[in-house]
Amino acid sequence: MDAQGQPILEVVDLVKDFGGLRAVDGCRLEVRRGTITGLIGPNGAGKTTLFNLVTGFLRPDAGRVLFQGEDITGLPPHQVFRRGLARTFQIPREHRLMSVLENLMLVPPGQLGERFWNTWFRPGLVRAQEEAIRHRALEVLEFVELAQLQDEYAGNLSGGQRKLLELARVLMADPLLVLLDEPGAGVNPTLMRKLASRIEDLQGRGITFLIIEHDMDLVMRLCNPVIVMSEGRRLAEGPPEEIRRDPRVLEAYLGGQYVAFEG
């Protein structure tokens, strides 16, 4: 499982019902290590529900999730996160009344300063760890080009800057696999190019990505392979240009998204 191109994530026959609605219907897919894999499909296809199942925010009614060969089905989100599988949200969940830098410094788990007695009995260790975390946070902010905003309240950032901050917060956890939920939503073209460039750089550093995205131009530029979901199941998978011409995919998108493939 450690080799480049081997599955880092395996979804096996996942099922999730909400009352009488089956949102995910026996879905099977794999994400290969070292890839930027796109996950697309019409609205209501089950993409975000699948993300929630993989990351522990929902429990499946059937099926399994394997991460690096380990069964993580139904683990709570914090345990999934600590294994190296991290996600961002469609609406970034930053702490709006804290600075950009403080948002990053909160991420690493197990900080000594979280236990009040350490501040009394081990102050040197607490300061040393805090300084190391601060140094790491500043490096990450430089990487996503937000260092100049380190002291700004997170709530004052633009939509695109908040997406970069969300990515930066995920990077503080040193993830192996990052799930991005619509990173292009509400982001202007300049910041979108910056975000896409950062994702490609991180792929080069060994981080794997699974990305839900409706912007087909972004998917075609960034993702290979592309997985298509429809009605809770995997409909197709392949290189972006092959997916673009797949008649089953075009049919699934009729009535709203078809033009995105033809344009």
Side-chain angles (χ1 to χ4, degrees), residues 122-144:
R122 307 169 74 188
L125 287 177
V126 171
R127 283 195 299 271
Q129 185 188 57
E130 184 174 307
E131 185 56 36
I133 291 172
R134 177 185 175 85
H135 180 74
R136 167 68 174 154
L138 289 171
E139 285 184 337
V140 171
L141 288 177
E142 286 283 354
F143 176 75
V144 299

Side-chain angles (χ1 to χ4, degrees), residues 110-126:
Q111 296 187 42
L112 295 173
E114 294 173 355
R115 293 178 170 83
F116 73 89
W117 57 82
N118 283 328
T119 61
W120 287 90
F121 300 110
R122 307 169 74 188
L125 287 177
V126 171

Side-chain angles (χ1 to χ4, degrees), residues 64-214:
R64 295 186 301 151
V65 178
L66 304 177
F67 180 62
Q68 298 203 103
E70 178 187 3
D71 192 334
I72 62 167
T73 311
L75 288 182
H78 70 277
Q79 290 189 23
V80 174
F81 181 76
R82 287 178 181 175
R83 280 164 171 77
L85 197 168
R87 73 170 291 183
T88 63
F89 293 84
Q90 290 165 298
I91 302 173
R93 299 186 176 189
E94 75 284 342
H95 300 280
R96 297 175 59 84
L97 297 180
M98 299 181 73
S99 74
V100 167
L101 179 61
E102 289 168 340
N103 265 270
L104 267 63
M105 292 183 66
L106 280 177
V107 173
Q111 296 187 42
L112 295 173
E114 294 173 355
R115 293 178 170 83
F116 73 89
W117 57 82
N118 283 328
T119 61
W120 287 90
F121 300 110
R122 307 169 74 188
L125 287 177
V126 171
R127 283 195 299 271
Q129 185 188 57
E130 184 174 307
E131 185 56 36
I133 291 172
R134 177 185 175 85
H135 180 74
R136 167 68 174 154
L138 289 171
E139 285 184 337
V140 171
L141 288 177
E142 286 283 354
F143 176 75
V144 299
E145 299 183 27
L146 288 179
Q148 74 280 7
L149 296 173
Q150 62 180 278
D151 297 321
E152 184 66 69
Y153 285 122
N156 293 339
L157 300 183
S158 70
Q161 290 168 337
R162 290 168 63 196
K163 291 290 178 72
L164 289 168
L165 174 60
E166 186 75 359
L167 179 61
R169 291 175 64 204
V170 166
L171 294 181
M172 287 295 294
D174 292 320
L176 301 171
L177 172 63
V178 177
L179 276 56
L180 298 177
D181 198 344
E182 295 194 47
V187 179
N188 70 52
T190 300
L191 278 175
M192 190 62 251
R193 285 191 294 272
K194 181 183 295 186
L195 182 58
S197 178
R198 296 288 78 81
I199 292 169
E200 290 172 326
D201 289 344
L202 291 167
Q203 180 197 23
R205 299 183 183 193
I207 298 179
T208 304
F209 287 88
L210 177 61
I211 302 177
I212 292 175
E213 185 53 68
H214 287 291

Side-chain angles (χ1 to χ4, degrees), residues 10 14-15 35 40 51-52 59 62 66 97-98 116 122 145 164 170 184 191 193 222 239 250 254 259-260 263:
E10 300 169 76
L14 274 192
V15 174
T35 64
I40 68 172
F51 266 29
N52 287 333
R59 292 184 65 88
L66 304 177
L97 297 180
M98 299 181 73
F116 73 89
R122 307 169 74 188
E145 299 183 27
L164 289 168
V170 166
L191 278 175
R193 285 191 294 272
L222 199 57
L250 296 176
L254 282 172
V259 65

Side-chain angles (χ1 to χ4, degrees), residues 47-69:
K47 304 181 298 295
T48 296
T49 300
L50 180 69
F51 266 29
N52 287 333
L53 294 169
V54 167
T55 52
F57 287 88
L58 290 173
R59 292 184 65 88
D61 296 313
R64 295 186 301 151
V65 178
L66 304 177
F67 180 62
Q68 298 203 103

